[in-house]
Amino acid sequence: MCGIIGYVGDKEIVPLLLKGLQCLEYRGYDSAGIAIHEGHHLNVIKTIGKIAKLEEVLKIKKATNGTNGHSNCGIGHTRWATHGEPSNINAHPHFDTEEKIAVVHNGIIRNYQEVKDKLINLGIKFVTQTDTEVIVQLISENLKKTKSILDAILKAVKELEGSYAIAILFKDEPDKIYAVRKEAPLVIGIGNDENFVASDIPTLSQFVDKVIRLNDNEITVVAKNAVEFYDLNGGRIKKEPQIVTKTKDILDKKGFKHYLAKEINEQAEVISNLLKDFLPNPEKPVQLNHLKLEPDFIKSIDRILILACGTAYHAGLTAKYVIENLTSIPTEVQFASEFLSANSLLTKRSLVIGISQSGETADTITAIKKAVLTGATLLGITNRADSALADLAKEHLILSKAGVEISVAATKTFTAQIAVLYLFAVYTAEILGTADKTSLIKIKQELRELPQLIDQALVRAERYQEQVIKYADKPDFVFIGRGINYPIALEAALKLKELSYIHASGYASGEMKHGPIAVLDPNVPVVSIVVSGETYERVIQNSLEAKSRKAPMIAVAIDGDKKAESIFDTVLHIPQVSEIISPFLTVIPLQFLAYYIAEELGRDIDQPRNLAKSVTVE
Ligand code: M6R
């Protein structure tokens, strides 16, 4: 969480830092700020609120001569508060007492209280409630004992525990940014007569086509025409740039009102691209041969453990049905934050699948690191090739290739994750011979038809909108499904909560009568996922039980389902699809339900309150 940008070069710096911060705003948006070298001092301008607010503040400052914006070197930050509420004072950059050093930080300093107490004992006065301020005060204190800026930073980071990506400006070094990282991303962008620092590659790819990723415990000194790298002992390191494709403007909403709407609407294309790569021909095996999983290992797998959080966890739950159904390998799905290696039953024959859109989620990364200590093999699924998960799972990595997802609520990356997991299940079943050929070909054919079917659901957006906005005044929603659509009920409840702030729960529909039914009344809509197949009659039965409690009744059902039409007040229709493939389609009207209700309530769709897209703290 928190985004960092830095620039050294001759371009007009303020608009450039603002553009970088806009690209990084998904990482946190409760406050923002910049620090630039201006004349002989460091100018820090920061504010509570989003980047748009910072932009306003900067305009006012410029008009009142508070900043002339003339600078060759600066850093910027967009914050998701951990220590200290969102406020002007807690916004980054942070100064040392003498205002000679300005720091921006992403991560958490775990021992900040200890360090702060030590510095307070030395007479240093703290002005913020942040953990970050200890970094800048500590460096400043160290600088009193050494002339070398590098030494002062190295000494400070050796004392700090936790995770950090830090960028630092020094008043006495007007053309340099110092940066260091441990367990939080930081990348250097290499340009012509200009260089950058940022929290992610897509942001840098707006400006440059060469980047160098900083590794843990590396420190860099970035100047206009040179970038140097050091280890924590101050030894020089040589690092080569990698070429990245300059992405088109990632901030382009392509005519949609919100990124969320754009991303929901990209799902057919995303799935189509994945299928082109991994399943070009349904008559042939799934093409995941880039995974270096030996067939002998696959044949020996004793269990699969999926570790993930939030929406990625729901993708894992959906996949469990498909993997067990096609491969008969016992598959468990755990919240990464709940993983305890001692209870995991993992062995050298186990496969751990880590799923994370960002590839940065601290809970997921920590759990995976613990899990692989058992000797289990790791398969990573992420949307970000430049992430910690991609690094950990180098050998066995599947990229979900959904493109940049800006809206904080995950939509297209969820369908991409389940597509990848279905393909992995089929791939494994083909090696193991655990499913008959005809049913595998049928599933593959159905997967190939998905982009068309998803498109047919997407074009119904307006109809879904008309159908759902009348429920926007309800304070509580219940989503129910069975079998493979139970995780979709969970995902739909999460989406509605995130986007609209309405309380919502997802239940396995059979569980309703064991307690949750008590919450039902005419103010609590029940949304049932009723897809023809094994679970259909029982979900209908459970829905009737809810209807008897006078709950407003909404269904997601297949086109032409007369029974559903006769029972439910509102039916969100989806195209004909088999039960096993249905999650790709049942989720779509539910994404729209969350979107349109949130929009009706005037919520901040792309940046809901209290959230950040990549959660890099445990
Ligand atoms: O980047 P990850 O997939 O690891 O993120 C996991 C969750 O934080 C994420 O899915 C979160 O629940 C989203 N906001 C869901 O929309």
Side-chain angles (χ1 to χ4, degrees):
M1 2 259 289
C2 300
I4 291 177
I5 180 82
Y7 176 76
V8 200
D10 295 329
K11 296 209 176 104
E12 205 188 331
I13 195 155
V14 172
L16 204 140
L17 291 177
L18 285 171
K19 168 89 193 265
L21 288 177
Q22 280 158 359
C23 295
L24 293 164
E25 201 169 15
Y26 72 90
R27 302 179 67 86
Y29 36 81
D30 58 49
S31 50
I34 61 167
I36 52 179
H37 275 287
E38 223 175 53
H40 295 295
H41 73 294
L42 292 175
N43 195 359
V44 167
I45 299 119
K46 55 185 189 172
T47 176
I48 188 170
K50 297 189 181 186
I51 312 301
K53 176 81 188 298
L54 177 65
E55 219 171 330
E56 272 171 38
V57 172
L58 280 160
K59 268 189 206 145
I60 296 166
K61 290 255 177 202
K62 195 172 178 186
T64 55
N65 265 342
T67 172
N68 56 31
H70 296 317
S71 169
N72 293 327
C73 186
I75 51 178
H77 186 268
T78 180
R79 178 172 189 243
W80 184 84
T82 57
H83 298 66
E85 59 173 12
S87 66
N88 288 340
I89 203 99
N90 288 333
H92 298 213
H94 292 293
F95 266 142
D96 66 318
T97 311
E98 293 171 48
E99 302 195 355
K100 286 182 169 174
I101 312 171
V103 160
V104 290
H105 164 221
N106 167 29
I108 281 189
I109 304 301
R110 270 201 307 273
N111 62 339
Y112 86 99
Q113 195 58 55
E114 203 181 305
V115 182
K116 189 169 178 173
D117 291 345
K118 185 189 94 172
L119 293 167
I120 288 173
N121 282 337
L122 293 175
I124 292 167
K125 289 207 168 57
F126 280 77
V127 290
T128 78
Q129 290 102 49
T130 65
D131 53 342
T132 304
E133 195 181 352
V134 303
I135 305 173
V136 67
Q137 299 287 18
L138 188 58
I139 296 174
S140 167
E141 199 50 33
N142 292 346
L143 258 184
K144 292 178 188 159
K145 293 169 208 133
T146 166
K147 285 218 159 51
S148 154
I149 285 180
L150 194 63
D151 284 350
I153 298 173
L154 291 174
K155 192 156 178 270
V157 293
K158 281 183 190 155
E159 196 173 333
L160 299 174
E161 289 166 19
S163 58
Y164 44 80
I166 307 169
I168 318 162
L169 292 189
F170 291 86
K171 182 174 156 259
D172 298 336
E173 289 258 17
D175 299 317
K176 283 183 186 148
I177 298 171
Y178 287 75
V180 56
R181 73 154 262 183
K182 185 181 155 222
E183 292 168 15
L186 207 59
V187 194
I188 316 305
I190 311 291
N192 294 325
D193 291 334
E194 58 178 5
N195 290 310
F196 296 77
V197 174
S199 298
D200 72 18
I201 292 181
T203 300
L204 289 175
S205 74
Q206 305 298 294
F207 307 108
V208 292
D209 54 16
K210 275 191 253 158
V211 302
I212 301 180
R213 289 170 59 194
L214 207 59
N215 292 327
D216 280 351
N217 301 319
E218 286 178 354
I219 174 163
T220 180
V221 186
V222 182
K224 183 176 144 186
N225 287 311
V227 184
E228 293 168 359
F229 297 94
Y230 299 87
D231 62 25
L232 286 195
N233 297 318
R236 277 291 282 272
I237 313 173
K238 208 170 156 11
K239 288 171 82 79
E240 291 301 326
Q242 76 186 75
I243 306 291
V244 289
T245 337
K246 259 200 177 168
T247 3
K248 282 171 260 146
D249 191 354
I250 54 174
L251 297 175
D252 184 2
K253 289 199 184 119
K254 306 245 167 74
F256 288 95
K257 194 167 168 195
H258 300 103
Y259 291 112
L260 187 89
K262 167 180 167 280
E263 287 154 8
I264 292 175
N265 278 284
E266 282 171 349
Q267 292 179 102
E269 192 189 333
V270 166
I271 304 299
S272 166
N273 288 339
L274 280 170
L275 294 170
K276 262 184 223 144
D277 285 358
F278 299 135
L279 183 59
N281 180 347
E283 306 289 330
K284 300 248 170 80
V286 168
Q287 307 281 301
L288 284 174
N289 303 332
H290 72 281
L291 301 177
K292 295 185 187 105
L293 294 169
E294 294 296 330
D296 279 350
F297 170 72
I298 293 183
K299 286 179 190 152
S300 75
I301 295 177
D302 59 355
R303 71 185 69 240
I304 292 177
L305 172 65
I306 300 181
L307 294 171
C309 303
T311 289
Y313 170 78
H314 299 150
L317 285 178
T318 313
K320 170 184 160 75
Y321 290 85
V322 190
I323 295 173
E324 288 188 337
N325 183 313
L326 297 183
T327 71
S328 304
I329 302 174
T331 302
E332 197 193 336
V333 191
Q334 266 192 28
F335 285 123
S337 55
E338 285 294 308
F339 174 71
L340 293 174
S341 45
N343 301 343
S344 71
L345 304 178
L346 291 171
T347 71
K348 289 196 172 64
R349 288 169 49 212
S350 309
L351 181 70
V352 171
I353 305 183
I355 313 171
S356 170
Q357 182 284 127
S358 61
E360 263 190 54
T361 301
D363 288 327
T364 309
I365 299 298
T366 306
I368 286 171
K369 284 182 178 164
K370 280 195 247 163
V372 294
L373 291 178
T374 61
T377 295
L378 172 66
L379 166 68
I381 297 176
T382 178
N383 202 35
R384 299 291 293 268
D386 58 324
S387 64
L389 177 54
D391 273 354
L392 285 171
K394 256 188 212 93
E395 304 237 312
H396 315 299
L397 177 70
I398 313 180
L399 292 174
S400 54
K401 300 183 183 179
V404 177
E405 190 177 64
I406 298 227
S407 189
V408 166
T411 52
K412 64 174 178 172
T413 53
F414 172 73
T415 37
Q417 283 163 351
I418 58 173
V420 163
L421 287 156
Y422 273 62
L423 290 164
F424 175 74
V426 176
Y427 169 79
T428 309
E430 283 174 330
I431 291 172
L432 296 176
T434 38
D436 69 273
K437 271 200 173 146
T438 333
S439 39
L440 284 180
I441 291 186
K442 185 165 176 285
I443 290 186
K444 288 192 281 182
Q445 275 162 344
E446 287 186 283
L447 285 170
R448 292 283 311 181
E449 285 159 18
L450 263 177
Q452 236 181 319
L453 294 179
I454 292 174
D455 259 339
Q456 286 171 25
L458 292 175
V459 295
R460 302 174 189 199
E462 272 182 36
R463 173 81 187 118
Y464 294 145
Q465 179 179 21
E466 284 162 23
Q467 290 179 291
V468 299
I469 50 169
K470 56 177 172 281
Y471 298 102
D473 63 341
K474 301 295 177 204
D476 203 347
F477 274 68
V478 167
F479 292 84
I480 59 175
R482 269 189 191 239
I484 202 159
N485 276 301
Y486 161 51
I488 302 303
L490 297 178
E491 173 59 9
L494 173 63
K495 231 49 340 150
L496 185 64
K497 276 183 282 205
E498 281 186 297
L499 293 172
S500 70
Y501 320 149
I502 294 174
H503 179 261
S505 302
Y507 293 109
S509 66
E511 274 299 296
M512 282 295 291
K513 57 188 175 298
H514 297 293
I517 199 164
V519 305
L520 298 189
D521 69 24
N523 255 329
V524 183
V526 171
V527 186
S528 309
I529 306 172
V530 286
V531 172
S532 325
E534 218 184 312
T535 58
Y536 181 84
E537 286 304 337
R538 282 177 297 158
V539 183
I540 290 279
Q541 174 56 37
N542 302 139
S543 305
L544 288 169
E545 289 152 11
K547 188 174 165 124
S548 309
R549 272 76 191 178
K550 300 199 167 26
M553 299 298 293
I554 306 172
V556 174
I558 305 269
D559 284 342
D561 184 338
K562 295 283 172 239
K563 192 170 185 170
E565 279 162 26
S566 70
I567 294 171
F568 293 88
D569 305 315
T570 299
V571 180
L572 307 172
H573 284 292
I574 55 168
Q576 191 73 44
V577 66
S578 72
E579 195 172 25
I580 193 161
I581 301 291
S582 64
F584 290 94
L585 292 174
T586 52
V587 78
I588 287 173
L590 297 172
Q591 292 169 340
F592 279 122
L593 178 144
Y595 172 50
Y596 287 125
I597 287 183
E599 204 198 8
E600 186 69 12
L601 294 173
R603 300 298 190 230
D604 190 342
I605 302 284
D606 289 322
Q607 294 173 338
R609 69 180 181 201
N610 304 339
L611 301 184
K613 188 148 188 80
S614 78
V615 185
T616 53
V617 291
E618 281 177 55

